[in-house]
């Protein structure tokens, strides 16, 4: 019996001794997981445009406008429209005018556009004709009566320098953007009935505007259908018009989301 107890005691001592000498498990090596790739807007494609091709896709990009004006605008949040009015020689045609010259129909339509603009908006007006590219009104608060008188005096003639007109309009809107610290909205509205003098240059200028500015481009193609260099889906809001009603409808679409929008001006009367 004593021998049995002695053996048990030795066994216990041996077990306890072994527990004390047991080595701790080796630490598990930490494996670094690869970090996810950085989020880049240039990897996003919307309507065929990547972030590098569309300023609107680069939400953190504050490069536009380049600089700040010495004198700031009273209303930093105003919506701005710059109208390019085509008064080229082809506007003298009566095709699509229901017996009236295209320029007469276009004038009536754009005058209603002026009347329908929200009163707190700003507008600039440019026309090209045989006199070349001329700014008829700098960007300023809408005065429909004054703009209507300026439009009435336009005479059709000359070619279609759309590319130069787009560059000019974009520059004027950037100057306004500097006055508004980039706040507000900026729109170029083109009313044209002809093919640009240099369609390739026009496309290049449009690409620059879309890539480097927040400016929205709207075009109403009068009596030229959908086959036009300014009909670029996902880039330009293009509206073909083959008669006075469709011309008015295209201009209405420009203001469809504007605050205080009222389409009644476009629903009454007919172009003369």
């Amino acid at each position: 019996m004593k021998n049995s107890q002695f053996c048990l005691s030795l066994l216990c001592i041996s077990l306890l001794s072994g527990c004390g000498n047991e080595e701790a498990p080796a630490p598990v090596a930490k494996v670094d997981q690869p970090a996810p790739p950085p989020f880049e807007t240039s990897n996003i494609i919307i309507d065929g445009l990547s972030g590098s091709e569309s300023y609107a896709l680069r939400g953190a990009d504050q490069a536009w406008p380049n600089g700040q004006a010495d004198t700031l605008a009273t209303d930093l949040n105003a919506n701005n429209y710059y109208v390019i009015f085509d008064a080229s020689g082809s506007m003298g045609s009566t095709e699509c005018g229901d017996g009236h010259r295209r320029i007469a129909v276009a004038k009536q339509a754009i005058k209603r556009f002026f009347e329908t603009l929200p009163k707190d908006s700003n507008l600039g007006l440019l026309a090209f004709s045989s006199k070349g590219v001329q700014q008829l009104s700098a960007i300023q608060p809408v005065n429909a009566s004054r703009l209507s008188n300026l439009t009435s005096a336009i005479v059709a003639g000359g070619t279609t320098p759309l590319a130069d007109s787009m560059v000019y309009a974009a520059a004027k809107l950037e100057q306004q953007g500097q006055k508004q610290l980039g706040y507000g909205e900026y729109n170029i509205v083109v009313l044209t009935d002809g093919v640009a003098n240099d369609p390739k240059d026009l496309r290049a200028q449009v690409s620059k505007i879309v890539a480097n500015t927040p400016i929205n481009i709207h075009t109403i193609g009068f009596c030229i259908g959908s086959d036009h260099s300014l009909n670029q889906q996902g880039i330009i809001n293009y509206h073909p018009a083959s008669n006075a009603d469709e011309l008015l409808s295209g201009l209405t679409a420009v203001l469809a989301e504007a605050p205080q929008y009222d389409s009644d001006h476009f629903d009454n009367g007919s172009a003369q």
Side-chain angles (χ1 to χ4, degrees):
M1 184 70 179
K2 290 183 178 179
N3 289 336
S4 300
Q5 291 178 344
F6 178 73
C7 291
L8 289 173
S9 298
L10 287 177
L11 179 61
C12 290
I13 293 171
S14 176
L15 290 172
L16 291 173
S17 179
C19 291
N21 294 331
E22 183 179 346
E23 294 183 0
V28 178
K30 183 179 179 180
V31 179
D32 293 332
Q33 297 295 325
F39 179 78
E40 296 181 2
T41 54
S42 59
N43 293 333
I44 301 176
I45 297 179
I46 297 179
D47 288 327
L49 292 181
S50 66
S52 61
E53 297 169 316
S54 174
Y55 186 91
L57 291 178
R58 303 194 302 273
D61 192 336
Q62 301 296 322
W64 191 95
N66 183 21
Q68 176 181 319
D70 293 334
T71 303
L72 297 183
T74 303
D75 183 0
L76 297 180
N77 294 305
N79 291 342
N80 300 278
Y81 300 87
Y82 201 97
V83 172
I84 297 175
F85 188 91
D86 180 347
S88 59
S90 58
M91 274 289 198
S93 170
T94 57
E95 184 181 0
C96 299
D98 192 24
H100 304 284
R101 293 195 306 155
R102 289 180 199 164
I103 193 166
V105 177
K107 284 180 179 181
Q108 289 299 107
I110 205 68
K111 287 177 183 180
R112 290 190 200 155
F113 177 78
F114 298 151
E115 294 169 356
T116 309
L117 279 169
K119 302 305 180 184
D120 56 355
S121 299
N122 297 320
L123 186 136
L125 174 63
L126 170 156
F128 55 79
S129 63
S130 58
K131 296 181 179 180
V133 177
Q134 289 186 309
Q135 177 174 255
L136 302 180
S137 176
I139 298 174
Q140 56 188 284
V142 174
N143 182 327
S145 176
R146 173 178 170 274
L147 290 165
S148 179
N149 290 336
L150 290 171
T151 303
S152 294
I154 298 174
V155 178
T159 58
T160 312
L162 279 169
D164 292 342
S165 299
M166 293 290 285
V167 172
Y168 190 95
K172 292 302 180 182
L173 284 172
E174 182 168 20
Q175 291 175 8
Q176 184 64 25
Q178 292 169 350
K179 296 178 182 179
Q180 295 183 207
L181 301 178
Y183 296 109
E185 293 185 2
Y186 302 85
N187 303 272
I188 293 176
V189 181
V190 183
L191 197 165
T192 182
D193 78 329
V195 177
N197 291 350
D198 189 341
K200 184 177 179 180
D201 186 28
L202 176 58
R203 290 190 182 93
Q205 297 306 329
V206 166
S207 294
K208 289 180 181 179
I209 293 171
V210 173
N212 300 307
T213 82
I215 296 171
N216 303 306
I217 303 175
H218 312 266
T219 300
I220 295 87
F222 188 27
C223 207
I224 52 178
S226 298
D227 186 17
H228 194 274
S229 51
L230 283 177
N231 185 8
Q232 301 181 39
Q233 187 175 3
I235 300 176
I236 296 176
N237 300 314
Y238 184 87
H239 303 277
S242 59
N243 54 53
D245 289 340
E246 290 179 358
L247 184 59
L248 295 174
S249 178
L251 288 168
T252 303
V254 174
L255 294 175
E257 297 182 357
Q260 303 174 12
Y261 170 67
D262 181 1
S263 63
D264 288 347
H265 291 286
F266 290 88
D267 297 333
N268 299 319
S270 59
Q272 300 296 324

